[in-house]
Amino acid sequence: MADINDILGNERVKEHFIAAVHHKKISHAYIIEGDKGSGKKMLAAAFSKILQCETRQKTEEERACNQCESCIQMENKDHPDVIWVSHEKAGVISVGEIREQVVNTVDIMPYKGPYKIYIIDEAEKMNVAAQNAILKTIEEPPEYAIIFLLTTNRGAFLDTILSRCILLETKPVSGKMIERYLGERYKIPEEEAEFAAGFSLGNIGKAESIILSEEFRELKDLTLDILRYIHEIESYEIADKVKEYKKYKARIDDFFDIFLMWFRDILLLKADTSPNKDIARRKIIFKNEYVSLRKQADKLKMDSIDYIINRINRARIRIKSNVNFDATLELLIVEARREF
């Protein structure tokens, strides 16, 4: 588990937590909002470690010592007073789960630490009944209770919950910072770190997934095989290619991101009017594909690029709405090909 100062970026969130410790103004409820992989769990865990640190309680330091029993338990994710709320169904956190893990246990004093901390990841998945169940705890918490609601969408919460929580937002980390971190930690080539940093758009969790996942590498290669020749691909080839995506259904968002980044690169090349073409080349994500991208940028009109980007976003929504998988991908590729 990273120490709070070792977490990349998100300086405002970290400063808020350190100031809260310094001034002894700890809130009973926090909402941390940000994209998946943006560091929400790391921030909540790092702050929890500071709050529960036995050395800090004696010395009033604003950092965790990383050596006491409490810090070691936090590292091992088995601290008895830091509860990671779980849920069985992927799409919902039920009222029963909130009652069992939070409401019915919050009045039990902490076993050893000064605080009893509940961390609810994907908290936007709490249904209305679950939110109403936890609301009373947020409104009238025991002195020692702290609740973290980690979410990608604060709009899913009841207004009564929003009004009673401190809202903190994660922000994208700079590309250079991510490149340096990936290079130092994983000892990868500079161009590989640069691609992951650019593709992730400042999301450190996503950047690490790109580096570590063989599945992502396979998906990227498969998709680039289509994109390089999308302007001349035959209809029968499209159907055959789409069949290969069935094994990557769990990472379909990555497919759409690759598609989107490809045409975003084309848009950058198309819009560049400077005589020095190296400037635009340095800004694109798929630098190794420059020749193919430049060729397609010369063929496409700006309106066509906008149209394709719109179709990519529409296809992503259709997949999330459980529209037929193969048909949605085939239609997207056909619509993109038609614009050349």
Side-chain angles (χ1 to χ4, degrees), residues 13 15-30 47 51 56 62 115 143 145-146 148 166 168:
V13 178
E15 287 168 8
H16 177 94
F17 287 147
I18 295 299
V21 173
H22 178 75
H23 296 292
K24 298 180 181 177
K25 291 186 176 180
I26 314 299
S27 175
H28 287 294
Y30 294 92
F47 186 37
L51 294 175
R56 184 198 68 80
E62 295 162 9
Y115 298 98
E143 262 186 33
I146 298 173
F148 287 98
I166 299 292
L168 302 168

Side-chain angles (χ1 to χ4, degrees), residues 43-77:
L43 287 162
F47 186 37
S48 298
K49 183 164 72 168
I50 293 172
L51 294 175
Q52 302 289 35
C53 175
E54 296 163 27
T55 303
R56 184 198 68 80
Q57 294 164 43
K58 297 171 186 174
T59 62
E60 296 193 354
E61 286 286 330
E62 295 162 9
R63 304 288 189 273
C65 72
N66 294 314
Q67 296 176 353
C68 68
E69 184 182 6
S70 178
C71 285
I72 292 169
Q73 287 178 320
M74 285 298 300
E75 288 291 333
N76 295 329
K77 294 187 177 178

Side-chain angles (χ1 to χ4, degrees), residues 188-207:
I188 58 175
E190 185 178 331
E191 65 177 33
E192 194 175 339
E194 186 180 5
F195 170 79
F199 189 86
S200 68
L201 297 178
N203 186 312
I204 183 62
K206 187 171 184 177

Side-chain angles (χ1 to χ4, degrees), residues 27-41:
S27 175
H28 287 294
Y30 294 92
I31 292 172
I32 305 180
E33 182 186 47
D35 292 337
K36 182 180 179 182
S38 63
K40 301 185 296 294
K41 287 189 284 188

